[in-house]
Amino acid sequence: IVGQNIDTLIIGFDVSLNSRMRELLYKSKKTIGTQLELEGYSFEIIKAKSSKHYQYTLSNNLMRINVSKANSNYPNVRVKLNSFFLWSRGVKEARKQTLNILVELGTIHPESEKISRADLAIDITGIDSLLNGENPLNYVISNGKKRKLHQDGNQITGFTIGKGKLRASIYNKSKELKTNRNHKKTELFK
């Protein structure tokens, strides 16, 4: 095992937005495209695309912070920490830096912090030589009935066990990063 960490982390928070943020996000007509500095990080404010519950996204290459007006069914702030941020800082430091950023948005209600997604990752070398071209699913013991093998031509690139919210995806992260040509992330997975 070369490394282990959380690869993606999504956390919801209830944050009482301060007057500066309320003004910027909900009263200004020129919000989209605005650059915002929070705790030394630069964010671009964009229109939230992925969720009907959030109006704005504060985005940079380390995280995405979705913000909405208070809603009793969902946290009004949802933070997605990406793999580079989590692997380079470590989960505890990434969370600490995230909380410092959120404090600049307003008052965080600590009891509201809820993890909605955590992708666990283990970087392992030498699996290919152990399998000798065999299907890795032949060696998996699991209650998950749905199993899918992923291949690129004849080369096995990974597999998935389970479906929906409860599933495990096993794949070559180093290969994925080389394919996506993300040089910052590639440095973490050599």
Side-chain angles (χ1 to χ4, degrees), residues 97-133:
Q97 290 177 18
T98 300
L99 291 173
N100 290 340
I101 290 167
L102 294 181
V103 164
E104 290 198 38
L105 296 181
T107 303
I108 304 169
H109 303 284
E111 72 284 352
S112 71
E113 182 177 1
K114 290 186 178 56
I115 296 173
S116 63
R117 176 177 158 190
D119 295 351
L120 306 178
I122 301 173
D123 192 11
I124 303 172
T125 60
I127 296 293
D128 296 340
S129 61
L130 291 173
L131 291 173
N132 250 353

mmCIF file of all heavy atoms in Angstrom, residues 97-133:
data_model
loop_
_atom_site.group_PDB
_atom_site.id
_atom_site.type_symbol
_atom_site.label_atom_id
_atom_site.label_comp_id
_atom_site.label_asym_id
_atom_site.label_seq_id
_atom_site.Cartn_x
_atom_site.Cartn_y
_atom_site.Cartn_z
ATOM 1 N N GLN A 97 -8.908 24.009 7.266
ATOM 2 C CA GLN A 97 -8.860 25.133 6.338
ATOM 3 C C GLN A 97 -10.246 25.463 5.787
ATOM 4 O O GLN A 97 -10.590 26.629 5.600
ATOM 5 C CB GLN A 97 -7.868 24.843 5.210
ATOM 6 C CG GLN A 97 -6.430 24.839 5.689
ATOM 7 C CD GLN A 97 -5.443 24.482 4.601
ATOM 8 O OE1 GLN A 97 -5.741 24.536 3.407
ATOM 9 N NE2 GLN A 97 -4.240 24.111 5.006
ATOM 10 N N THR A 98 -11.048 24.430 5.555
ATOM 11 C CA THR A 98 -12.417 24.632 5.073
ATOM 12 C C THR A 98 -13.247 25.384 6.106
ATOM 13 O O THR A 98 -13.982 26.318 5.772
ATOM 14 C CB THR A 98 -13.072 23.280 4.736
ATOM 15 O OG1 THR A 98 -12.294 22.639 3.725
ATOM 16 C CG2 THR A 98 -14.496 23.456 4.265
ATOM 17 N N LEU A 99 -13.149 24.988 7.369
ATOM 18 C CA LEU A 99 -13.890 25.682 8.429
ATOM 19 C C LEU A 99 -13.461 27.142 8.518
ATOM 20 O O LEU A 99 -14.302 28.033 8.710
ATOM 21 C CB LEU A 99 -13.703 24.977 9.772
ATOM 22 C CG LEU A 99 -14.363 23.603 9.893
ATOM 23 C CD1 LEU A 99 -13.974 22.929 11.207
ATOM 24 C CD2 LEU A 99 -15.874 23.697 9.760
ATOM 25 N N ASN A 100 -12.163 27.414 8.366
ATOM 26 C CA ASN A 100 -11.682 28.798 8.382
ATOM 27 C C ASN A 100 -12.275 29.609 7.236
ATOM 28 O O ASN A 100 -12.607 30.782 7.401
ATOM 29 C CB ASN A 100 -10.148 28.840 8.319
ATOM 30 C CG ASN A 100 -9.500 28.348 9.592
ATOM 31 O OD1 ASN A 100 -10.119 28.307 10.648
ATOM 32 N ND2 ASN A 100 -8.253 27.938 9.486
ATOM 33 N N ILE A 101 -12.417 28.983 6.075
ATOM 34 C CA ILE A 101 -13.043 29.650 4.923
ATOM 35 C C ILE A 101 -14.513 29.925 5.215
ATOM 36 O O ILE A 101 -15.017 31.028 4.973
ATOM 37 C CB ILE A 101 -12.879 28.796 3.652
ATOM 38 C CG1 ILE A 101 -11.409 28.798 3.218
ATOM 39 C CG2 ILE A 101 -13.791 29.283 2.537
ATOM 40 C CD1 ILE A 101 -11.072 27.755 2.175
ATOM 41 N N LEU A 102 -15.209 28.930 5.765
ATOM 42 C CA LEU A 102 -16.642 29.091 6.036
ATOM 43 C C LEU A 102 -16.916 30.163 7.078
ATOM 44 O O LEU A 102 -17.948 30.845 7.019
ATOM 45 C CB LEU A 102 -17.259 27.755 6.458
ATOM 46 C CG LEU A 102 -17.273 26.663 5.392
ATOM 47 C CD1 LEU A 102 -17.933 25.405 5.924
ATOM 48 C CD2 LEU A 102 -17.954 27.136 4.115
ATOM 49 N N VAL A 103 -16.008 30.340 8.024
ATOM 50 C CA VAL A 103 -16.169 31.396 9.040
ATOM 51 C C VAL A 103 -16.232 32.765 8.362
ATOM 52 O O VAL A 103 -16.937 33.660 8.823
ATOM 53 C CB VAL A 103 -15.023 31.327 10.076
ATOM 54 C CG1 VAL A 103 -14.931 32.603 10.904
ATOM 55 C CG2 VAL A 103 -15.218 30.123 10.988
ATOM 56 N N GLU A 104 -15.536 32.921 7.240
ATOM 57 C CA GLU A 104 -15.596 34.188 6.511
ATOM 58 C C GLU A 104 -16.949 34.394 5.815
ATOM 59 O O GLU A 104 -17.293 35.511 5.459
ATOM 60 C CB GLU A 104 -14.449 34.291 5.505
ATOM 61 C CG GLU A 104 -13.100 34.460 6.186
ATOM 62 C CD GLU A 104 -12.045 34.998 5.248
ATOM 63 O OE1 GLU A 104 -12.350 35.857 4.403
ATOM 64 O OE2 GLU A 104 -10.895 34.549 5.379
ATOM 65 N N LEU A 105 -17.689 33.302 5.623
ATOM 66 C CA LEU A 105 -19.040 33.422 5.044
ATOM 67 C C LEU A 105 -20.061 33.839 6.091
ATOM 68 O O LEU A 105 -21.056 34.478 5.771
ATOM 69 C CB LEU A 105 -19.487 32.089 4.440
ATOM 70 C CG LEU A 105 -18.713 31.517 3.269
ATOM 71 C CD1 LEU A 105 -19.340 30.205 2.825
ATOM 72 C CD2 LEU A 105 -18.657 32.490 2.118
ATOM 73 N N GLY A 106 -19.830 33.424 7.337
ATOM 74 C CA GLY A 106 -20.787 33.722 8.399
ATOM 75 C C GLY A 106 -20.565 32.817 9.589
ATOM 76 O O GLY A 106 -19.487 32.260 9.784
ATOM 77 N N THR A 107 -21.622 32.628 10.375
ATOM 78 C CA THR A 107 -21.547 31.809 11.585
ATOM 79 C C THR A 107 -21.924 30.367 11.254
ATOM 80 O O THR A 107 -23.016 30.105 10.749
ATOM 81 C CB THR A 107 -22.511 32.354 12.660
ATOM 82 O OG1 THR A 107 -22.182 33.716 12.910
ATOM 83 C CG2 THR A 107 -22.418 31.548 13.936
ATOM 84 N N ILE A 108 -21.003 29.449 11.552
ATOM 85 C CA ILE A 108 -21.257 28.029 11.313
ATOM 86 C C ILE A 108 -21.971 27.458 12.532
ATOM 87 O O ILE A 108 -21.558 27.685 13.659
ATOM 88 C CB ILE A 108 -19.937 27.245 11.120
ATOM 89 C CG1 ILE A 108 -19.115 27.844 9.992
ATOM 90 C CG2 ILE A 108 -20.216 25.768 10.878
ATOM 91 C CD1 ILE A 108 -17.702 27.296 9.928
ATOM 92 N N HIS A 109 -23.032 26.718 12.291
ATOM 93 C CA HIS A 109 -23.708 26.015 13.375
ATOM 94 C C HIS A 109 -23.053 24.632 13.468
ATOM 95 O O HIS A 109 -23.313 23.770 12.627
ATOM 96 C CB HIS A 109 -25.210 25.926 13.103
ATOM 97 C CG HIS A 109 -25.824 27.277 12.913
ATOM 98 N ND1 HIS A 109 -26.080 28.120 13.964
ATOM 99 C CD2 HIS A 109 -26.177 27.946 11.787
ATOM 100 C CE1 HIS A 109 -26.588 29.244 13.507
ATOM 101 N NE2 HIS A 109 -26.656 29.168 12.186
ATOM 102 N N PRO A 110 -22.167 24.425 14.461
ATOM 103 C CA PRO A 110 -21.322 23.215 14.499
ATOM 104 C C PRO A 110 -22.099 21.904 14.485
ATOM 105 O O PRO A 110 -21.653 20.923 13.888
ATOM 106 C CB PRO A 110 -20.519 23.347 15.789
ATOM 107 C CG PRO A 110 -20.860 24.632 16.401
ATOM 108 C CD PRO A 110 -21.942 25.280 15.598
ATOM 109 N N GLU A 111 -23.254 21.869 15.111
ATOM 110 C CA GLU A 111 -24.022 20.625 15.155
ATOM 111 C C GLU A 111 -24.610 20.264 13.790
ATOM 112 O O GLU A 111 -25.081 19.154 13.585
ATOM 113 C CB GLU A 111 -25.143 20.724 16.207
ATOM 114 C CG GLU A 111 -26.302 21.636 15.830
ATOM 115 C CD GLU A 111 -26.029 23.143 15.952
ATOM 116 O OE1 GLU A 111 -24.979 23.542 16.470
ATOM 117 O OE2 GLU A 111 -26.895 23.932 15.520
ATOM 118 N N SER A 112 -24.542 21.177 12.836
ATOM 119 C CA SER A 112 -25.129 20.937 11.520
ATOM 120 C C SER A 112 -24.191 20.206 10.568
ATOM 121 O O SER A 112 -24.619 19.739 9.517
ATOM 122 C CB SER A 112 -25.530 22.272 10.882
ATOM 123 O OG SER A 112 -24.369 23.008 10.494
ATOM 124 N N GLU A 113 -22.921 20.078 10.908
ATOM 125 C CA GLU A 113 -21.949 19.456 10.003
ATOM 126 C C GLU A 113 -22.315 17.996 9.747
ATOM 127 O O GLU A 113 -22.408 17.195 10.664
ATOM 128 C CB GLU A 113 -20.543 19.547 10.597
ATOM 129 C CG GLU A 113 -19.471 18.983 9.709
ATOM 130 C CD GLU A 113 -18.075 19.159 10.290
ATOM 131 O OE1 GLU A 113 -17.931 19.706 11.396
ATOM 132 O OE2 GLU A 113 -17.130 18.736 9.625
ATOM 133 N N LYS A 114 -22.553 17.673 8.463
ATOM 134 C CA LYS A 114 -22.948 16.312 8.091
ATOM 135 C C LYS A 114 -22.218 15.901 6.820
ATOM 136 O O LYS A 114 -22.285 16.586 5.806
ATOM 137 C CB LYS A 114 -24.450 16.233 7.856
ATOM 138 C CG LYS A 114 -25.256 16.369 9.127
ATOM 139 C CD LYS A 114 -26.734 16.144 8.864
ATOM 140 C CE LYS A 114 -27.562 16.222 10.107
ATOM 141 N NZ LYS A 114 -27.466 17.420 10.880
ATOM 142 N N ILE A 115 -21.549 14.763 6.895
ATOM 143 C CA ILE A 115 -20.882 14.225 5.713
ATOM 144 C C ILE A 115 -21.927 13.524 4.859
ATOM 145 O O ILE A 115 -22.650 12.662 5.335
ATOM 146 C CB ILE A 115 -19.772 13.243 6.113
ATOM 147 C CG1 ILE A 115 -18.675 13.983 6.883
ATOM 148 C CG2 ILE A 115 -19.206 12.533 4.882
ATOM 149 C CD1 ILE A 115 -17.611 13.085 7.464
ATOM 150 N N SER A 116 -22.011 13.911 3.591
ATOM 151 C CA SER A 116 -22.965 13.242 2.706
ATOM 152 C C SER A 116 -22.265 12.298 1.734
ATOM 153 O O SER A 116 -22.907 11.438 1.145
ATOM 154 C CB SER A 116 -23.801 14.266 1.936
ATOM 155 O OG SER A 116 -22.988 15.047 1.102
ATOM 156 N N ARG A 117 -20.949 12.471 1.574
ATOM 157 C CA ARG A 117 -20.218 11.554 0.694
ATOM 158 C C ARG A 117 -18.742 11.555 1.080
ATOM 159 O O ARG A 117 -18.152 12.602 1.302
ATOM 160 C CB ARG A 117 -20.356 12.000 -0.761
ATOM 161 C CG ARG A 117 -19.565 11.174 -1.738
ATOM 162 C CD ARG A 117 -19.819 11.622 -3.152
ATOM 163 N NE ARG A 117 -18.729 11.213 -4.021
ATOM 164 C CZ ARG A 117 -18.592 11.627 -5.261
ATOM 165 N NH1 ARG A 117 -19.469 12.449 -5.800
ATOM 166 N NH2 ARG A 117 -17.575 11.227 -5.984
ATOM 167 N N ALA A 118 -18.175 10.369 1.147
ATOM 168 C CA ALA A 118 -16.740 10.212 1.378
ATOM 169 C C ALA A 118 -16.262 9.058 0.512
ATOM 170 O O ALA A 118 -16.670 7.921 0.703
ATOM 171 C CB ALA A 118 -16.449 9.934 2.850
ATOM 172 N N ASP A 119 -15.434 9.377 -0.487
ATOM 173 C CA ASP A 119 -14.860 8.346 -1.344
ATOM 174 C C ASP A 119 -13.517 7.946 -0.746
ATOM 175 O O ASP A 119 -12.599 8.763 -0.686
ATOM 176 C CB ASP A 119 -14.634 8.868 -2.762
ATOM 177 C CG ASP A 119 -15.930 9.219 -3.475
ATOM 178 O OD1 ASP A 119 -17.012 8.903 -2.941
ATOM 179 O OD2 ASP A 119 -15.857 9.818 -4.559
ATOM 180 N N LEU A 120 -13.425 6.708 -0.283
ATOM 181 C CA LEU A 120 -12.190 6.211 0.300
ATOM 182 C C LEU A 120 -11.270 5.724 -0.812
ATOM 183 O O LEU A 120 -11.728 5.162 -1.801
ATOM 184 C CB LEU A 120 -12.486 5.068 1.265
ATOM 185 C CG LEU A 120 -13.502 5.382 2.363
ATOM 186 C CD1 LEU A 120 -13.748 4.157 3.228
ATOM 187 C CD2 LEU A 120 -13.036 6.548 3.215
ATOM 188 N N ALA A 121 -9.966 5.947 -0.637
ATOM 189 C CA ALA A 121 -9.013 5.540 -1.663
ATOM 190 C C ALA A 121 -7.799 4.882 -1.031
ATOM 191 O O ALA A 121 -7.336 5.306 0.030
ATOM 192 C CB ALA A 121 -8.568 6.759 -2.473
ATOM 193 N N ILE A 122 -7.327 3.846 -1.681
ATOM 194 C CA ILE A 122 -6.084 3.175 -1.294
ATOM 195 C C ILE A 122 -5.251 3.043 -2.557
ATOM 196 O O ILE A 122 -5.744 2.559 -3.580
ATOM 197 C CB ILE A 122 -6.349 1.779 -0.689
ATOM 198 C CG1 ILE A 122 -7.227 1.885 0.542
ATOM 199 C CG2 ILE A 122 -5.035 1.092 -0.355
ATOM 200 C CD1 ILE A 122 -7.667 0.550 1.100
ATOM 201 N N ASP A 123 -4.019 3.501 -2.512
ATOM 202 C CA ASP A 123 -3.112 3.399 -3.647
ATOM 203 C C ASP A 123 -2.235 2.166 -3.432
ATOM 204 O O ASP A 123 -1.437 2.121 -2.505
ATOM 205 C CB ASP A 123 -2.268 4.671 -3.742
ATOM 206 C CG ASP A 123 -1.504 4.769 -5.045
ATOM 207 O OD1 ASP A 123 -1.778 3.967 -5.956
ATOM 208 O OD2 ASP A 123 -0.625 5.639 -5.153
ATOM 209 N N ILE A 124 -2.453 1.153 -4.267
ATOM 210 C CA ILE A 124 -1.754 -0.126 -4.129
ATOM 211 C C ILE A 124 -0.962 -0.395 -5.409
ATOM 212 O O ILE A 124 -1.457 -0.157 -6.507
ATOM 213 C CB ILE A 124 -2.761 -1.283 -3.908
ATOM 214 C CG1 ILE A 124 -3.630 -1.012 -2.690
ATOM 215 C CG2 ILE A 124 -2.044 -2.616 -3.788
ATOM 216 C CD1 ILE A 124 -4.762 -2.002 -2.511
ATOM 217 N N THR A 125 0.241 -0.901 -5.270
ATOM 218 C CA THR A 125 1.012 -1.276 -6.456
ATOM 219 C C THR A 125 1.143 -2.796 -6.519
ATOM 220 O O THR A 125 1.030 -3.481 -5.513
ATOM 221 C CB THR A 125 2.426 -0.656 -6.421
ATOM 222 O OG1 THR A 125 3.096 -1.124 -5.255
ATOM 223 C CG2 THR A 125 2.364 0.847 -6.407
ATOM 224 N N GLY A 126 1.373 -3.300 -7.718
ATOM 225 C CA GLY A 126 1.653 -4.722 -7.892
ATOM 226 C C GLY A 126 0.455 -5.618 -8.102
ATOM 227 O O GLY A 126 0.603 -6.833 -8.219
ATOM 228 N N ILE A 127 -0.745 -5.080 -8.175
ATOM 229 C CA ILE A 127 -1.947 -5.906 -8.347
ATOM 230 C C ILE A 127 -1.922 -6.629 -9.693
ATOM 231 O O ILE A 127 -2.265 -7.802 -9.783
ATOM 232 C CB ILE A 127 -3.227 -5.050 -8.227
ATOM 233 C CG1 ILE A 127 -3.359 -4.468 -6.836
ATOM 234 C CG2 ILE A 127 -4.463 -5.829 -8.624
ATOM 235 C CD1 ILE A 127 -3.600 -5.481 -5.755
ATOM 236 N N ASP A 128 -1.489 -5.927 -10.760
ATOM 237 C CA ASP A 128 -1.485 -6.528 -12.096
ATOM 238 C C ASP A 128 -0.689 -7.829 -12.131
ATOM 239 O O ASP A 128 -1.124 -8.821 -12.710
ATOM 240 C CB ASP A 128 -0.899 -5.550 -13.127
ATOM 241 C CG ASP A 128 -1.745 -4.295 -13.271
ATOM 242 O OD1 ASP A 128 -2.931 -4.334 -12.884
ATOM 243 O OD2 ASP A 128 -1.220 -3.294 -13.768
ATOM 244 N N SER A 129 0.479 -7.831 -11.499
ATOM 245 C CA SER A 129 1.316 -9.035 -11.532
ATOM 246 C C SER A 129 0.698 -10.169 -10.714
ATOM 247 O O SER A 129 0.880 -11.340 -11.033
ATOM 248 C CB SER A 129 2.728 -8.725 -11.031
ATOM 249 O OG SER A 129 2.684 -8.263 -9.702
ATOM 250 N N LEU A 130 -0.058 -9.836 -9.675
ATOM 251 C CA LEU A 130 -0.707 -10.869 -8.871
ATOM 252 C C LEU A 130 -1.866 -11.531 -9.623
ATOM 253 O O LEU A 130 -2.108 -12.728 -9.485
ATOM 254 C CB LEU A 130 -1.238 -10.284 -7.557
ATOM 255 C CG LEU A 130 -0.203 -9.844 -6.533
ATOM 256 C CD1 LEU A 130 -0.885 -9.141 -5.370
ATOM 257 C CD2 LEU A 130 0.578 -11.038 -6.026
ATOM 258 N N LEU A 131 -2.579 -10.754 -10.421
ATOM 259 C CA LEU A 131 -3.764 -11.272 -11.114
ATOM 260 C C LEU A 131 -3.422 -12.098 -12.344
ATOM 261 O O LEU A 131 -4.212 -12.938 -12.759
ATOM 262 C CB LEU A 131 -4.691 -10.115 -11.506
ATOM 263 C CG LEU A 131 -5.382 -9.407 -10.358
ATOM 264 C CD1 LEU A 131 -6.137 -8.189 -10.861
ATOM 265 C CD2 LEU A 131 -6.330 -10.356 -9.647
ATOM 266 N N ASN A 132 -2.288 -11.837 -12.947
ATOM 267 C CA ASN A 132 -1.887 -12.593 -14.144
ATOM 268 C C ASN A 132 -2.966 -12.566 -15.224
ATOM 269 O O ASN A 132 -3.236 -13.577 -15.865
ATOM 270 C CB ASN A 132 -1.572 -14.043 -13.786
ATOM 271 C CG ASN A 132 -0.100 -14.332 -13.890
ATOM 272 O OD1 ASN A 132 0.659 -13.496 -14.356
ATOM 273 N ND2 ASN A 132 0.278 -15.508 -13.449
ATOM 274 N N GLY A 133 -3.632 -11.426 -15.398
ATOM 275 C CA GLY A 133 -4.664 -11.296 -16.422
ATOM 276 C C GLY A 133 -6.014 -11.872 -16.055
ATOM 277 O O GLY A 133 -6.933 -11.832 -16.842
#
